[in-house]
Amino acid sequence: MEMHPKISIVTPSLNQGDFIEQTILSVLSQDYPNLEYLVADGGSSDATLDVLAKYSGKVTWVSETDKGQTDAINKGLRRATGSIVGYLNADDLLLPGTLKRVGEVFINHPQTCWVTGKCRIVDEENNEIRRPITVYKNTLLGLHSFSLLLMTNYISQPATFWRREALESIGYLDENLRYVMDYEYWLRLYSKAPPVFIPEYLAAFKIHQSSKTTSTGHKDVYVDEEKIVVGRYVRSRFQMILHDAHRLMMTAAYSLMNRSG
């Protein structure tokens, strides 16, 4: 059995020059012996290309116009050759030892098609924030079920990885979605099989002034897109009512946090 299955990490990028070097280093410093790292840049006009050029040879990258973040992720996934894949946005981080741990779990669970773990929320200086949200999501992760996932997206994208066979089976991310493409993908994966939960912190999700989550994450456009996606999978009106009630609760919680800084 392969000791270190090949892992492909894709980073979509557009004008994240303030953060992308930290992201790249968080991947390269994993010291994982069978890593493929691809960056799909959408034609950045800031310092991003200088950073990418600095790591040429260690990172496979391309910069060209695309149709947005979801398109960029799919471009990277189509080029990926690893038996395990995942994506990491250009302002997020992998925590030390994550890829070795993920590789071990896939080896020890040869029948599982995807895994997910814990994720910290950090600010621009990588200080942990929003701990109550993290604790809440970790609780749901420990209880995980498809019904809970319909109620809320408790799965953290930077801490989630899946097999190539799963990618080939269910396809790529839905390019009609701009905000909840990861959530829809988890629902698609979970409808096939539950993930193996790794009870360790694998990644950090960064929130800053220019991030998509800060600017639109809990406004109407996000909520509307999320509701459309959940509507594809709910089996009863009660499940949709639970989802809507939970969304109202979380929107209120995030609004309070945003006001308090």
Side-chain angles (χ1 to χ4, degrees):
M1 183 179 293
E2 189 177 13
M3 289 293 294
H4 300 287
K6 187 175 185 179
I7 300 179
S8 295
I9 303 296
V10 173
T11 290
S13 168
L14 182 63
N15 293 328
Q16 292 292 331
D18 291 339
F19 304 108
I20 193 170
E21 186 164 25
Q22 288 185 33
T23 300
I24 290 172
L25 289 174
S26 80
V27 176
L28 297 182
S29 66
Q30 295 285 310
D31 196 30
Y32 187 76
N34 203 0
L35 169 68
E36 178 182 55
Y37 189 26
L38 307 102
V39 176
D41 181 74
S44 292
S45 57
D46 65 354
T48 297
L49 299 189
D50 292 333
V51 174
L52 292 175
K54 180 179 176 181
Y55 293 97
S56 290
K58 297 180 179 179
V59 177
T60 300
W61 62 276
V62 63
S63 182
E64 60 189 18
T65 303
D66 56 39
K67 300 174 185 175
Q69 182 185 12
T70 313
D71 178 40
I73 295 164
N74 282 342
K75 282 184 177 181
L77 290 174
R78 288 188 178 98
R79 292 173 177 146
T81 61
S83 59
I84 299 166
V85 299
Y87 74 91
L88 184 71
N89 289 323
D91 48 3
D92 295 335
L93 306 168
L94 291 184
L95 298 182
T98 288
L99 295 187
K100 287 182 180 178
R101 184 71 179 111
V102 167
E104 289 171 357
V105 172
F106 273 109
I107 288 173
N108 293 332
H109 296 82
Q111 301 305 314
T112 193
C113 64
W114 63 306
V115 304
T116 191
K118 296 180 180 181
C119 183
R120 301 189 190 280
I121 306 171
V122 299
D123 62 15
E124 293 187 27
E125 305 301 321
N126 297 328
N127 299 309
E128 187 172 4
I129 58 174
R130 300 188 175 184
R131 286 190 177 95
I133 297 295
T134 302
V135 170
Y136 180 58
K137 291 185 76 169
N138 288 345
T139 300
L140 295 180
L141 273 171
L143 299 171
H144 68 85
S145 72
F146 189 69
S147 294
L148 278 177
L149 191 57
L150 284 171
M151 186 179 75
T152 184
N153 182 16
Y154 56 80
I155 292 174
S156 297
Q157 172 270 310
T160 305
F161 305 82
W162 57 103
R163 290 191 192 274
R164 169 162 299 282
E165 291 90 341
L167 179 65
E168 292 169 350
S169 173
I170 71 169
Y172 294 85
L173 277 68
D174 185 344
E175 293 179 12
N176 293 312
L177 301 174
R178 185 179 178 191
Y179 300 105
V180 298
M181 59 283 194
D182 57 334
Y183 186 21
E184 191 278 335
Y185 205 74
W186 311 149
L187 287 166
R188 227 189 304 168
L189 277 168
Y190 212 125
S191 66
K192 299 291 185 182
V196 167
F197 168 49
I198 302 174
E200 300 167 27
Y201 284 99
L202 304 181
F205 172 76
K206 187 170 292 183
I207 293 179
H208 52 89
Q209 284 301 110
S210 59
S211 64
K212 188 188 290 187
T213 299
T214 301
S215 59
T216 60
H218 301 285
K219 294 183 179 179
D220 290 345
V221 63
Y222 180 103
V223 174
D224 290 346
E225 189 173 280
E226 182 183 66
K227 189 165 184 175
I228 289 170
V229 163
V230 172
R232 299 176 185 175
Y233 294 92
V234 293
R235 301 183 183 93
S236 70
R237 178 167 173 74
F238 180 67
Q239 287 179 317
M240 182 59 80
I241 290 171
L242 278 179
H243 171 82
D244 290 346
H246 188 274
R247 169 46 61 197
L248 284 172
M249 180 186 75
M250 294 305 292
T251 298
Y254 280 119
S255 295
L256 285 172
M257 288 180 185
N258 288 340
R259 279 188 216 141
S260 64

